[in-house]
Amino acid sequence: MDDTISVLLVDDDPSFAEMAAEVLERAEDQFRVHVESDARAGLDRVADDDVDCVVSDLDMPDVDGLEFLEAIREDEGDLPFVLFTGKGSEEIASEAISAGVTDYLQKEGGTDQFDVLANRIENAVEATRTERELEERESHLRQAQAVGNIGSWQLDLVENRLDWSEEVYRIFAVDADEELTFERFLEFVHPDDRARIEREWNAALEDGEYDVEHRIVTGDGETRWVRERADVEFDDDGTPVTALGVVQDVTERKEREGELERYETFVETIAGGVFAQDAEGRYSYANSHAEEKTGYDREEIVGEDPTLFVDEAEIERYNGAIAEMLAGERESITAETEIEAADGEMIPVEMRLTLLPSDDGFRGTVGVVHDISERKERERALEQYQAIVEAVGDAAYRLNADGHFAFVSDALTELTGYDADELLGEHVSLVMREADIETGEALIGELLEDEERTHGTFELEAIRADGERVPCEDHMALLWEDGEFAGTAGVVRDVTARKERERELERHRETLEQLHETANRLHAADSKAACLDVTIEAAVSILGFDWCTLAAPGPDGRLFEIKAVSEGAPVAAGDTPFALDEGVAGKVYQSGSPEIVEDAQAAEAGKPVDDAIESGLTVPVGDWGVFQAVTTTGEGFDEHDRRQAELLVSSLYSAIQRLDQRAELRRRQSALKRQNEQLEEFASIVSHDLRNPLNVADGRVELAGEDCDSEHLDAAARAIERMDRLIEDVLTLAREGEQVQELGNVSLPAVCERCWGHVDTADATLEVATDRRIRADSNRLQQLLENLFRNAVEHGGETVTVTVEDRPDGFSVADDGPGIPEADREDVFDRGYSTSREGVGFGLRIVEQIVDAHGWDVAVAESESGGARLDVTGVEFVQD
């Protein structure tokens, strides 16, 4: 800032004025004093020059000092004006002050008065300059606030009084005379932001800093964005007392940011790399897709030129395209090229290039690059497929969305009999029936609705140029362009041969079903003769053989005897036309392998029995005999005939075996019946003829004991008792060895107690440590337990303790007797085995028999006390 003070001294006394000017300039270096002798000249000087302060005498001709002051105030406003006069009075001073004089000073003698004057001038000028600077700053601030949509505010936290600048009132669309508080301000805050602003403000009252962006709803109902920043001042006690802040309308910035964000999101989500280049050809932007495809980070791309990706030749082509666009020849350029990725891979791309919008010259370009690797691969694949289609020879086609031919292969022209130019452009109805077209359209509809299906197949009859209809199969796929259905492509195959095979397979299936039915008939037949008749009937009616025979070795064992024959055959049942080792029949019977004779009349094995026979088929029927069939119509037999004949004959042989087995079973059942009758007769003899004399002997011993006392009688009585038990066990083995008849739910503890009471147990003890119920034949189980208890007492002694307890899958009967030697445990179930002089050796044999009848298992082990333990396992428990 210039410190010079320009002073205008107006006095009608020139000598005084000159002297005063010189003294003032000497007193203050920054003073530049200009002298005028009257007020009018002074007004001109003020108008022409920059005057910082006017010093004027009061009494002057024409215009006095006060009139001069009024003129200055009218023209120059607040220009400092010092009245320096020789006349001084309160009246003049009051009048001067009323007129707006800056200062008033009375002239005195000497030069000291000029020091005072200089000080008054300097103070007045400085005050005016300061005020003007402040006003200018305030004006600039107001302008800046208006231009920048920024207003200032002050909040007295003690009085809760909020003062806004003019711009704040304008931003909030509120009248300037409205009294404001913090609560009133919050009413303008958008409801969705209000809670957040209150939190931010409360935090500012703690740390003194407030900087937020939020929405407001203005007085006229408009929603706008503002940014507020403030500093909170605290008193000595740390209590917030004042907040000074600014608020800026950032609505346009927010809208631009939102729009920019939308554009950035759009650019980032474009399915292609986006590049921008400045006027010098250096990249200024690259989206994330460009990073992904090239392998470079965005920072590595920005600032580089195109040589990062392409060679100089491609850059020349690129620059030529820019020149064409700058010349207005083209708005954009689309071209295919290759770019080199960071890893050295060359990526085929399609690039679309256009100029950046500009009103003042070339700013650069923006381009979108799409990876066309897949498209190129598809194009190469399409070329390969087309070559393959032509090489393979399939009839291929392509139809547009309206069903007109757009492509036909050479094979399709051969199939239809039309030339390619006769088909291209024509509707498919030229070679298809209306019904087949409807079938194809229905398939297209299904494929369009099901996104997971890409192709389908349907059958049709192709109509050739000569009218012939050819059964075909169409393997069809949909074609798409830019997401829209564009037609179909497919391969048509002549399925005439396949249809014939299908008919043949259907005939074969029907034959197999009929042969299966024949097998059921054979299974139901009750005689071999019936089986043979069924087989001959099936060979003629199902297999279509002309003449058939079934032959087996005759009674003499040397010749084949015809057992069954079809109608019209040159032989009859009972004939013996050839030996077992003669001809084809003998060979097949001996080897077990079927044989086809294509020319029967020229066969080396011998001449057939009739000249009408042209070919023959012979199949072995196991070890029973042979089946023979012949043709008389000129059509020979093939492998298919052989397999079907073998299938028929195998069913016959199974039926014959079944009948033989049934006969053998009847024979065995008859023999078993006789054996059982003999066994029953034996049991009766044992029971009656042996037991009666035994009873007599027992009675006689008892009578003898009454007559005399002899130790021989006791021995005889024991022998008789042992004989009685032996008879009982033999009867049990003879009569009850069969399987159990009926199973029931049996309480194991109950049957144990019942059996113990039926056995002579002397002083032995029974302990039952089980409460289970099992599935068993109650009577047979009782026999099992009685034998085990009796065996334990006989071998363990009269005071033995017998324990019945649970096993994981059954039960055990153990005793504390001497046990069974480990070497003898395998033999204890043999008939007649016993280690007791009183035992008969049948007890454990009966146990094993009952166990087997139930499907259980029994084994011998050692009890915990060292005695014997018999484990019965595989038992089915009854769940309560």
Side-chain angles (χ1 to χ4, degrees):
M1 178 183 293
D2 187 3
D3 293 335
T4 301
I5 298 177
S6 176
V7 180
L8 172 62
L9 180 59
V10 180
D11 198 300
D12 59 350
D13 184 351
S15 59
F16 178 79
E18 293 293 338
M19 183 272 296
E22 184 177 350
V23 173
L24 287 173
E25 288 183 346
R26 288 182 179 181
E28 297 291 342
D29 292 339
Q30 70 268 33
F31 283 0
R32 298 294 181 265
V33 182
H34 306 282
V35 179
E36 297 291 346
S37 58
D38 60 71
R40 296 187 186 280
L43 288 172
D44 292 339
R45 169 73 72 171
V46 171
D48 294 339
D49 296 337
D50 291 331
V51 176
D52 296 315
C53 183
V54 176
V55 179
S56 175
D57 190 12
L58 177 60
D59 288 332
M60 293 185 295
D62 295 331
V63 179
D64 63 16
L66 292 177
E67 293 173 337
F68 184 29
L69 173 60
E70 291 176 358
I72 289 295
R73 288 288 173 259
E74 182 178 350
D75 294 341
E76 302 297 332
D78 59 351
L79 181 67
F81 192 101
V82 178
L83 191 60
F84 189 42
T85 178
K87 295 182 178 181
S89 67
E90 290 184 3
E91 180 182 355
I92 294 175
S94 176
E95 187 176 354
I97 292 172
S98 299
V101 71
T102 305
D103 210 341
Y104 173 84
L105 187 63
Q106 190 173 353
K107 294 178 181 177
E108 297 177 355
T111 58
D112 290 342
Q113 62 179 333
F114 294 110
D115 291 335
V116 176
L117 177 61
N119 182 262
R120 298 287 178 87
I121 292 171
E122 186 174 5
N123 289 340
V125 170
E126 183 176 353
T128 300
R129 285 181 174 178
T130 300
E131 184 176 354
R132 286 178 178 175
E133 183 178 356
L134 180 61
E135 289 178 353
E136 183 176 3
R137 288 182 178 180
E138 289 179 350
S139 175
H140 289 167
L141 178 59
R142 286 193 295 273
Q143 292 176 0
Q145 289 180 346
V147 171
N149 290 327
I150 299 175
S152 59
W153 55 267
Q154 178 174 348
L155 176 62
D156 186 334
L157 295 169
V158 178
E159 300 293 335
N160 192 21
R161 184 180 69 253
L162 180 62
D163 295 322
W164 281 353
S165 68
E166 293 180 5
E167 185 61 20
V168 180
Y169 280 106
R170 186 194 68 76
I171 292 172
F172 280 73
V174 178
D175 293 337
D177 56 355
E178 181 175 346
E179 294 185 1
L180 301 170
T181 63
F182 181 75
E183 289 71 23
R184 175 60 176 146
F185 156 73
L186 285 177
E187 293 177 5
F188 289 104
V189 177
H190 193 283
D192 293 343
D193 296 345
R194 196 169 294 157
R196 176 172 62 87
I197 295 307
E198 288 189 276
R199 290 195 302 270
E200 295 285 351
W201 178 249
N202 290 332
L205 295 179
E206 296 290 335
D207 57 28
E209 296 182 358
Y210 181 68
D211 189 346
V212 294
E213 288 186 355
H214 62 88
R215 290 167 293 177
I216 62 171
V217 181
T218 65
D220 54 13
E222 183 181 3
T223 298
R224 302 191 69 80
W225 277 92
V226 298
R227 180 184 180 186
E228 289 193 275
R229 287 171 292 175
D231 291 325
V232 179
E233 297 180 357
F234 301 86
D235 61 14
D236 294 340
D237 296 330
T239 301
V241 293
T242 305
L244 299 175
V246 294
V247 58
Q248 181 180 12
D249 187 339
V250 294
T251 303
E252 292 184 2
R253 192 200 78 198
K254 280 289 187 180
E255 290 175 349
R256 288 195 304 272
E257 288 176 352
E259 184 176 4
L260 179 61
E261 184 177 353
R262 288 191 294 274
Y263 274 112
E264 287 180 346
T265 301
F266 172 74
V267 170
E268 287 296 331
T269 55
I270 288 177
V274 179
F275 298 90
Q277 291 175 268
D278 58 23
E280 284 73 37
R282 298 190 177 278
Y283 293 109
S284 57
Y285 173 80
N287 70 349
S288 58
H289 194 78
E291 292 181 297
E292 178 184 344
K293 284 299 179 184
T294 64
Y296 289 102
D297 292 335
R298 194 171 311 192
E299 293 76 12
E300 295 177 291
I301 298 174
V302 172
E304 295 293 329
D305 60 36
T307 56
L308 183 65
F309 304 118
V310 296
D311 56 23
E312 292 293 341
E314 195 62 31
I315 293 176
E316 288 297 324
R317 189 162 73 100
Y318 170 82
N319 290 334
I322 294 176
E324 292 179 10
M325 290 188 289
L326 287 173
E329 298 176 8
R330 306 168 70 173
E331 292 184 357
S332 64
I333 300 294
T334 300
E336 293 183 4
T337 185
E338 285 190 333
I339 62 174
E340 183 177 0
D343 61 2
E345 179 187 2
M346 300 304 295
I347 304 174
V349 297
E350 181 182 78
M351 177 182 64
R352 188 176 186 275
L353 187 68
T354 189
L355 300 178
L356 285 171
S358 175
D359 296 329
D360 54 355
F362 176 57
R363 288 181 53 217
T365 60
V366 62
V368 179
V369 174
H370 292 283
D371 185 346
I372 58 174
S373 300
E374 291 185 2
R375 191 182 79 190
K376 286 293 185 182
E377 185 63 29
R378 288 196 301 270
E379 290 175 355
R380 288 191 293 270
L382 180 59
E383 293 174 356
Q384 293 175 355
Y385 290 150
Q386 288 178 340
I388 291 171
V389 166
E390 294 296 349
V392 170
D394 281 336
Y397 70 88
R398 180 165 63 86
L399 301 178
N400 62 22
D402 297 325
H404 293 82
F405 284 107
F407 165 79
V408 292
S409 69
D410 293 342
L412 187 68
T413 63
E414 294 178 7
L415 176 66
T416 62
Y418 289 98
D419 293 335
D421 55 2
E422 293 178 297
L423 291 174
L424 292 175
E426 292 295 326
H427 193 264
V428 70
S429 58
L430 178 65
V431 295
M432 284 181 67
R433 300 180 305 159
E434 185 63 32
D436 292 335
I437 292 175
E438 292 177 358
T439 302
E441 289 175 345
L443 177 58
I444 292 173
E446 294 174 6
L447 295 177
L448 289 172
E449 292 179 0
D450 190 347
E451 295 181 356
E452 295 184 359
R453 292 182 62 189
T454 60
H455 58 277
T457 302
F458 70 102
E459 293 185 351
L460 68 141
E461 283 189 349
I463 305 174
R464 287 178 49 82
D466 58 9
E468 180 188 355
R469 296 192 176 189
V470 182
C472 296
E473 185 177 71
D474 188 343
H475 299 270
M476 179 180 65
L478 303 185
L479 298 177
W480 300 88
E481 289 183 6
D482 300 326
E484 299 291 333
F485 172 65
T488 60
V491 173
V492 178
R493 290 178 179 169
D494 183 344
V495 294
T496 303
R498 192 192 74 190
K499 286 293 184 181
E500 181 57 36
R501 288 196 302 273
E502 290 175 352
R503 287 190 289 270
E504 180 63 27
L505 287 173
E506 178 62 20
R507 289 192 294 269
H508 180 60
R509 184 190 63 79
E510 292 176 354
T511 299
L512 290 178
E513 288 181 353
Q514 292 173 329
L515 290 176
H516 178 71
E517 179 61 28
T518 298
N520 291 335
R521 292 176 61 193
L522 289 170
H523 182 75
D526 57 3
S527 68
K528 289 184 180 179
C531 290
L532 300 180
D533 291 341
V534 168
T535 303
I536 292 297
E537 178 187 347
V540 174
S541 62
I542 298 175
L543 302 184
F545 297 160
D546 295 341
W547 294 341
C548 307
T549 62
L550 280 165
D556 60 0
R558 295 185 304 102
L559 299 175
F560 278 111
E561 180 182 340
I562 303 299
K563 300 295 184 179
V565 64
S566 65
E567 185 178 351
V571 293
D575 290 352
T576 55
F578 36 78
L580 296 184
D581 57 355
E582 181 183 357
V584 176
K587 178 181 177 183
V588 168
Y589 181 69
Q590 299 297 330
S591 67
S593 299
E595 186 169 328
I596 296 174
V597 177
E598 296 181 356
D599 187 354
Q601 299 299 327
E604 296 180 357
K607 187 176 178 61
V609 296
D610 193 285
D611 292 341
I613 298 175
E614 297 184 1
S615 61
L617 169 64
T618 305
V619 178
V621 186
D623 57 2
W624 177 84
V626 294
F627 166 83
Q628 286 192 300
V630 299
T631 62
T632 60
T633 59
E635 293 184 6
F637 294 100
D638 57 18
E639 289 299 310
H640 181 66
D641 296 322
R642 179 188 61 78
R643 287 193 296 270
Q644 290 186 337
E646 284 185 305
L647 185 60
L648 174 62
V649 167
S650 66
S651 298
L652 169 62
Y653 187 56
S654 296
I656 291 174
Q657 286 183 311
R658 180 183 56 80
L659 291 171
D660 289 343
Q661 291 169 356
R662 185 182 299 175
E664 177 64 18
L665 179 60
R666 286 196 297 267
R667 186 190 64 76
R668 291 184 179 183
Q669 287 176 339
S670 179
L672 183 59
K673 181 179 179 181
R674 290 192 301 272
Q675 181 180 354
N676 288 337
E677 290 174 349
Q678 293 170 355
L679 188 59
E680 180 63 27
E681 183 179 358
F682 167 74
S684 177
I685 293 172
V686 170
S687 175
H688 184 269
D689 295 352
L690 291 182
R691 181 163 283 168
N692 284 343
L694 195 61
N695 289 336
V696 172
D698 185 44
R700 292 298 183 182
V701 169
E702 186 177 350
L703 291 174
E706 293 177 358
D707 294 338
C708 64
D709 184 13
S710 172
E711 62 179 7
H712 298 296
L713 293 176
D714 291 336
R718 287 195 297 274
I720 292 172
E721 181 182 358
R722 186 167 180 269
M723 190 66 181
D724 186 60
R725 284 180 52 197
L726 179 63
I727 293 172
E728 188 67 30
D729 288 346
V730 168
L731 289 174
T732 298
L733 288 172
R735 289 175 173 173
E736 300 185 2
E738 69 273 7
Q739 294 290 321
V740 297
Q741 297 300 316
E742 183 177 357
L743 298 180
N745 298 338
V746 181
S747 171
L748 193 56
V751 75
C752 286
E753 296 292 346
R754 187 164 59 249
C755 292
W756 189 259
H758 294 166
V759 177
D760 183 7
T761 56
D763 294 329
T765 303
L766 173 67
E767 293 182 358
V768 180
T770 179
D771 60 357
R772 285 178 170 173
R773 291 193 299 156
I774 65 174
R775 295 284 294 168
D777 183 319
S778 178
N779 291 332
R780 304 303 300 281
L781 177 63
Q782 183 170 328
Q783 289 177 349
L784 180 147
L785 291 172
E786 288 177 356
N787 275 280
L788 290 179
F789 292 164
R790 185 181 298 111
N791 188 73
V793 172
E794 287 180 353
H795 295 82
E798 295 182 351
T799 61
V800 70
T801 298
V802 180
T803 304
V804 181
E805 56 189 355
D806 290 332
R807 308 304 299 170
D809 60 343
F811 61 90
S812 66
V813 177
D815 61 52
D816 57 358
I820 300 174
E822 186 173 357
D824 295 342
R825 291 174 187 173
E826 295 292 332
D827 303 326
V828 296
F829 297 107
D830 292 343
R831 183 179 301 166
Y833 177 86
S834 178
T835 59
S836 170
R837 294 176 57 191
E838 304 297 328
V840 297
F842 287 113
L844 292 184
R845 174 59 180 167
I846 294 174
V847 168
E848 183 182 45
Q849 189 181 65
I850 297 172
V851 165
D852 290 341
H854 281 83
W856 301 338
D857 294 312
V858 63
V860 179
E862 184 177 329
S863 68
E864 292 182 0
S865 60
R869 188 185 80 219
L870 277 83
D871 296 330
V872 180
T873 57
V875 178
E876 179 183 355
F877 298 115
V878 178
Q879 301 297 328
D880 294 330

